[in-house]
Amino acid sequence: MSKYLEELDLEASAPLEEPMRQRYFMAKCGEIIRKKEMALGRKLTFYDQTFGCQMNFKDSEKLNGILEEIGYVKAESENADFVYYNTCTVRENANVRVYGRLGTLKNYKKHNPEMVIAMCGCMMQEAEEEEKVRKDFRFVDIVFGTHNIFKLAELLYQYLTSKERVFDVWEKTDQIIEDLPSDRKIRFKAGVNIMFGCNNFCTYCIVPYVRGRERSRKPEDIVAEVEKLAAEGVVEIMLLGQNVNSYGKNLEKPVSFARLLRQVEQVEGIERIRFMTSHPKDLSDELIEVMAASKKICRHIHLPVQSGSSTLLKKMNRRYTKESYLELVDKIRKAMPDISITTDIIVGFPGETEEDLLDTIDVVRKARYDSAFTFLYSKRSGTPAAKMPDQVPDQVAHERFDRLLKVVNEVARSQNSRLAGRTEPVLAEEVNERDPSLITGRLANNNVVHFKADPSVIGTIVPVVLEEAKGFYYLGRIADA
Ligand code: SAM
Ligand code: SF4
């Protein structure tokens, strides 16, 4: 039997059930990698380049976990034996950046015949991008999408045994594969997926097309993961979903997001719970009640408004109005006066007028955001907004963007100084990059504070006096015992 047929035979004997099937391929890839290590007299390395949102970073942790299980060790640069790009396509410039960087990998590959290059993530879910990689980037060996990241070991095995390029992009899935390895970057903080995909179809957004329909994980699987993380020393978790407020609706036994939070709160060792993202249309009174009563759920809510104009919100298919959004903000602030609210705003959506921008500026002032991610509208082909008339000229959009940013910064400055003089619990996160005598940490409301302390406090929650408000951060000192 030829080597290739032998390998195909092996593939046929792989378990069909997940995650056993992937465990099997991890072991098989491991055998191949160990042989290569012996021949080369060194460890094989991997490197990831991740673009985009928290979902992508979370996916990369899973991919890195699989690669480590196989036997690869993390490299410091792209000059590695396995390099993958986990791509984003929410805005057009993300795509341009990816192709710009990809070229450098070709040179590394020339000098390292062992090098395997993979591309995955949202961009690869778009047929024309997949085709572009197939035709114009022939040095890319493995391509997969957002729905089958769990399959990395199997795809790698297929490539290593056939040496033929592997393209495996799924249009959709209803599978959620639990119990695969994951490699976390920070030992005391972790993201936890509670759901995948999105059903909202905001007219500018490509996410539902590249991440598929909403699928929630079972609460017992989520709680089990949180318990495991707590046992590993994690004190802060971030529950992740495109619209956490619609969590649990499609489960066999539906569970609300607020009820999930109550269960997660019971996990001993977890001291802080964050979540993102909350769609304003689905934020319930039950959630506000649970947050207000909780000692662990952080006083921060990311509540993307996108626009302050009810006319544009309708065209965006956001399903709330300027008035109902502001009412919601009031309700949240009444229940939790010290909460910090942050947002996302798009400038230059088709048909946007000067009045629409003024409405957005009005909402920024009234909602008193602690910070806002402001984006220039980017036309994504396949979305309804791409075909809308009255696309806003670049120059006009840029000018409006600058005006909006000024107001956002002015409001954020004043919001970020309101806690000055108070003593607040702070999660010490890292040594300050500019001044190594300082530790940088975060308050429960996500504001940043720098304070003098020994690096041994990193990963713990310490009381810090917020001595001085500097606009976008505080300077503080550890409170006397
Ligand atoms: N699911 C979240 C929500 O609804 O708020 C956000 C997901 S999206 C990855 C993050 C942000 O990207 C959005 O809130 C929106 O402001 C921005 N965004 C999405 N599509 C965009 C587009 N075509 N142009 C500019 N910004 C966009
Ligand atoms: Fe995109 Fe809207 Fe879904 Fe957020 S809720 S991911 S903006 S479609």
Side-chain angles (χ1 to χ4, degrees):
M1 210 190 305
S2 79
K3 182 81 184 131
Y4 183 43
L5 285 179
E6 229 174 80
E7 300 295 357
L8 281 182
D9 201 36
L10 258 178
E11 219 170 302
S13 62
L16 292 175
E17 290 281 302
E18 298 293 5
M20 282 81 80
R21 184 174 173 85
Q22 295 314 314
R23 294 253 171 225
Y24 171 91
F25 282 111
M26 281 180 231
K28 287 288 153 204
C29 287
E31 286 166 17
I32 300 175
I33 296 305
R34 272 189 295 284
K35 276 188 202 148
K36 286 184 189 287
E37 281 174 6
M38 302 264 270
L40 293 166
R42 64 171 178 85
K43 284 287 206 188
L44 263 64
T45 57
F46 78 93
Y47 189 79
D48 76 278
Q49 189 69 59
T50 302
F51 302 84
C53 68
Q54 304 243 13
M55 296 286 174
N56 265 15
F57 282 90
K58 183 69 202 167
D59 284 350
S60 291
E61 286 185 1
K62 295 177 187 170
L63 293 167
N64 292 352
I66 294 171
L67 290 168
E68 284 175 354
E69 186 81 18
I70 288 171
Y72 284 99
V73 292
K74 181 117 176 94
E76 292 300 315
S77 81
E78 289 183 342
N79 192 0
D81 300 299
F82 185 99
V83 176
Y84 72 89
Y85 276 20
N86 190 355
T87 59
C88 168
T89 189
V90 171
R91 283 167 291 276
E92 171 121 44
N93 54 7
N95 295 21
V96 176
R97 275 174 60 206
V98 166
Y99 289 128
R101 286 192 73 127
L102 201 55
T104 54
L105 293 186
K106 195 175 177 183
N107 276 334
Y108 289 134
K109 196 165 179 168
K110 263 191 210 144
H111 298 108
N112 179 6
E114 287 305 327
M115 187 169 184
V116 181
I117 300 175
M119 300 253 309
C120 61
C122 296
M123 226 171 108
M124 294 303 101
Q125 288 294 138
E126 292 180 276
E128 60 273 32
E129 303 297 343
E130 184 195 344
E131 202 44 34
K132 188 175 164 107
V133 173
R134 198 188 288 273
K135 281 211 188 113
D136 301 346
F137 296 89
R138 294 185 169 272
F139 55 92
V140 174
D141 307 301
I142 303 174
V143 170
F144 54 105
T146 55
H147 300 306
N148 57 347
I149 59 155
F150 70 90
K151 236 184 121 180
L152 172 63
E154 184 170 347
L155 302 179
L156 177 61
Y157 179 78
Q158 203 178 323
Y159 174 73
L160 290 174
T161 51
S162 71
K163 285 288 173 199
E164 284 181 17
R165 301 175 82 194
V166 178
F167 282 72
D168 190 15
V169 179
W170 298 1
E171 227 174 85
K172 57 180 180 182
T173 185
D174 51 13
Q175 290 189 66
I176 296 180
I177 311 294
E178 299 286 346
D179 297 328
L180 279 168
S182 178
D183 167 50
R184 289 186 294 105
K185 283 207 171 70
I186 306 175
R187 76 188 148 80
F188 52 87
K189 259 169 66 154
V192 177
N193 293 116
I194 63 166
M195 60 205 295
F196 304 92
C198 181
N199 286 354
N200 291 306
F201 291 93
C202 303
T203 53
Y204 50 79
C205 185
I206 202 162
V207 170
Y209 306 91
V210 294
R211 290 253 167 203
R213 291 305 81 73
E214 210 170 272
R215 294 153 340 262
S216 294
R217 285 177 75 195
K218 292 190 201 126
E220 56 270 31
D221 289 336
I222 297 169
V223 171
E225 183 177 341
V226 175
E227 283 170 346
K228 184 166 169 278
L229 291 167
E232 289 168 9
V234 168
V235 293
E236 178 177 308
I237 52 159
M238 166 80 89
L239 304 178
L240 296 170
Q242 292 298 351
N243 175 10
V244 292
N245 297 327
S246 67
Y247 168 80
K249 288 188 180 153
N250 61 355
L251 284 170
E252 231 169 77
K253 284 191 217 147
V255 178
S256 70
F257 178 54
R259 282 196 53 194
L260 174 74
L261 277 173
R262 278 208 190 104
Q263 291 186 36
V264 170
E265 238 197 326
Q266 305 301 317
V267 178
E268 244 174 73
I270 296 298
E271 297 182 50
R272 282 185 171 182
I273 302 168
R274 299 186 186 279
F275 53 85
M276 75 187 300
T277 296
S278 275
H279 195 306
K281 80 178 164 63
D282 294 315
L283 199 146
S284 67
D285 290 350
E286 187 196 8
L287 175 64
I288 298 177
E289 257 170 53
V290 169
M291 280 184 84
S294 171
K295 293 225 159 29
K296 290 188 177 178
I297 304 171
C298 288
R299 291 289 195 261
H300 171 217
I301 196 153
H302 188 64
L303 197 61
V305 66
Q306 313 298 359
S307 167
S309 149
S310 296
T311 320
L312 279 197
L313 286 169
K314 195 159 192 324
K315 285 192 187 163
M316 288 176 167
N317 191 30
R318 290 291 288 182
R319 287 176 272 170
Y320 52 85
T321 60
K322 175 184 181 184
E323 291 71 29
S324 66
Y325 182 91
L326 286 173
E327 273 166 30
L328 180 61
V329 166
D330 274 351
K331 208 194 290 181
I332 296 170
R333 286 207 190 279
K334 267 205 190 97
M336 293 166 281
D338 54 348
I339 198 161
S340 111
I341 302 178
T342 56
T343 201
D344 294 347
I345 302 172
I346 297 176
V347 178
F349 183 83
E352 185 191 75
T353 62
E354 177 63 20
E355 283 69 45
D356 295 326
L357 181 80
L358 293 178
D359 269 333
T360 302
I361 289 179
D362 189 40
V363 168
V364 170
R365 292 199 193 285
K366 290 191 170 133
R368 288 183 278 127
Y369 295 119
D370 272 55
S371 73
F373 293 107
T374 45
F375 304 108
L376 276 168
Y377 167 71
S378 170
K379 193 173 175 179
R380 307 313 290 127
S381 62
T383 62
K387 293 195 209 85
M388 286 183 186
D390 306 325
Q391 300 277 331
V392 177
D394 280 358
Q395 204 195 333
V396 176
H398 275 99
E399 183 265 334
R400 287 181 185 160
F401 183 92
D402 292 345
R403 275 163 61 204
L404 175 70
L405 196 59
K406 259 196 190 154
V407 181
V408 164
N409 286 341
E410 177 196 310
V411 171
R413 250 173 207 285
S414 102
Q415 283 299 107
N416 281 270
S417 48
R418 69 193 196 278
L419 299 180
R422 276 173 49 169
T423 301
E424 288 289 315
V426 170
L427 175 58
E429 297 196 342
E430 59 191 357
V431 173
N432 188 287
E433 269 176 24
R434 289 210 195 130
D435 179 351
S437 74
L438 295 178
I439 296 294
T440 297
R442 278 185 192 271
L443 310 185
N445 76 359
N446 217 28
N447 282 176
V448 172
V449 54
H450 308 295
F451 56 101
K452 274 212 179 347
D454 187 86
S456 60
V457 297
I458 291 174
T460 63
I461 294 179
V462 286
V464 174
V465 185
L466 307 175
E467 292 186 311
E468 200 182 334
K470 295 296 250 185
F472 296 101
Y473 62 89
Y474 293 95
L475 286 179
R477 66 170 166 81
I478 292 196
D480 303 327

